[in-house]
């Protein structure tokens, strides 16, 4: 079984990426400010007017010399009336492929069962405002390929101006000039 470094190198070589790169851990995030009663959220598609605390990207593509392997997905909700322990439907799309389809991560935020990854306890007492799921399969975001995440919540108890944030964590490669400059 290939590890994350070799999987990323394989995908990059198949795409013809030959620029030097620095290996690093990578965290990308995007927040959506909710409308009252909203049940469907789309992340990594609209960056207009967002601060560096709401997103760390300016486009939904990584640079031509960057790529990433998603190892875990974290969802954070800042809401007084709702939480993440109700059923959710998470999809992650890379290019034209839905690479994580109809996934319900809410089991990691509630006491309704064991966590998926055995690294986190199920219900941790924070009323379901923060959950993280470690993925068993590496998801690669190649350079210059569009990606997005969608989240559907099962209840409409989201209040006006509540923020929902999706954080993608993993291993990556970023541009490194090396000795070329």
């Amino acid at each position: 079984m290939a590890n994350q470094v070799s999987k990323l190198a394989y995908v990059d070589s198949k795409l013809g990426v030959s620029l030097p790169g620095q290996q690093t851990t990578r965290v990308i995030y995007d927040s959506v400010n909710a409308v009252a009663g909203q049940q469907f959220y789309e992340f990594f598609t609209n960056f207009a007017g967002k601060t560096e605390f709401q997103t760390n990207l300016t486009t939904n593509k990584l640079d031509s010399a960057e790529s990433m392997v998603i190892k875990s997905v974290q969802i954070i909700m800042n809401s007084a009336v709702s939480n993440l322990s109700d059923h959710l439907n998470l999809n992650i799309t890379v290019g034209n492929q839905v690479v994580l389809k109809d996934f319900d991560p809410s089991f990691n935020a509630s006491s309704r069962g064991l966590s998926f990854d055995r690294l986190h306890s199920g219900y941790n007492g924070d009323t379901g405002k923060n959950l993280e799921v470690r993925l068993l399969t590496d998801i690669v975001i190649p350079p210059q390929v569009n990606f997005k995440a969608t989240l559907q919540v099962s209840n409409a108890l989201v209040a006006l101006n509540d923020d929902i944030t999706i954080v993608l964590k993993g291993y990556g490669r970023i541009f490194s000039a090396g000795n070329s400059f």
Side-chain angles (χ1 to χ4, degrees), residues 104-162:
D104 185 356
S106 65
F107 293 97
N108 276 32
S110 69
S111 58
R112 69 167 67 100
L114 292 173
S115 296
F116 291 113
D117 55 14
R118 309 285 195 264
L119 295 176
H120 305 89
S121 61
Y123 181 68
N124 58 11
D126 68 353
T127 63
K129 305 291 185 192
N130 184 357
L131 70 90
E132 183 172 2
V133 176
R134 183 165 172 90
L135 303 174
L136 296 176
T137 303
D138 296 335
I139 297 173
V140 176
I141 301 176
Q144 294 293 305
V145 175
N146 291 330
F147 63 93
K148 71 177 182 178
T150 60
L151 181 69
Q152 186 174 4
V153 297
S154 62
N155 63 32
L157 294 176
V158 179
L160 179 65
N161 292 328
D162 284 348

Side-chain angles (χ1 to χ4, degrees), residues 14-133:
K14 285 291 187 186
L15 293 173
V17 178
S18 60
L19 295 172
Q22 172 67 45
Q23 296 177 359
T24 185
T25 55
R26 188 81 196 253
V27 175
I28 57 177
Y29 58 91
D30 190 36
S31 297
V32 172
N33 193 271
V35 177
Q38 185 175 352
Q39 290 183 282
F40 184 80
Y41 304 90
E42 200 167 74
F43 300 88
F44 304 110
T45 57
N46 183 5
F47 303 97
K50 292 186 179 179
T51 68
E52 64 271 8
F53 300 109
Q54 294 170 311
T55 187
N56 62 348
L57 298 174
T58 57
T59 180
N60 66 339
K61 295 179 187 179
L62 298 178
D63 189 80
S64 61
E66 298 178 349
S67 52
M68 178 180 178
V69 172
I70 302 171
K71 297 298 284 182
S72 70
V73 177
Q74 183 177 15
I75 304 171
I76 305 164
M77 178 180 279
N78 131 0
S79 174
V81 295
S82 187
N83 61 50
L84 296 168
S85 62
D86 295 326
H87 287 291
L88 307 170
N89 188 5
L90 175 66
N91 291 291
I92 296 178
T93 304
V94 177
N96 295 330
Q97 300 282 342
V98 179
V99 293
L100 184 64
K101 184 173 180 155
D102 297 337
F103 180 67
D104 185 356
S106 65
F107 293 97
N108 276 32
S110 69
S111 58
R112 69 167 67 100
L114 292 173
S115 296
F116 291 113
D117 55 14
R118 309 285 195 264
L119 295 176
H120 305 89
S121 61
Y123 181 68
N124 58 11
D126 68 353
T127 63
K129 305 291 185 192
N130 184 357
L131 70 90
E132 183 172 2
V133 176

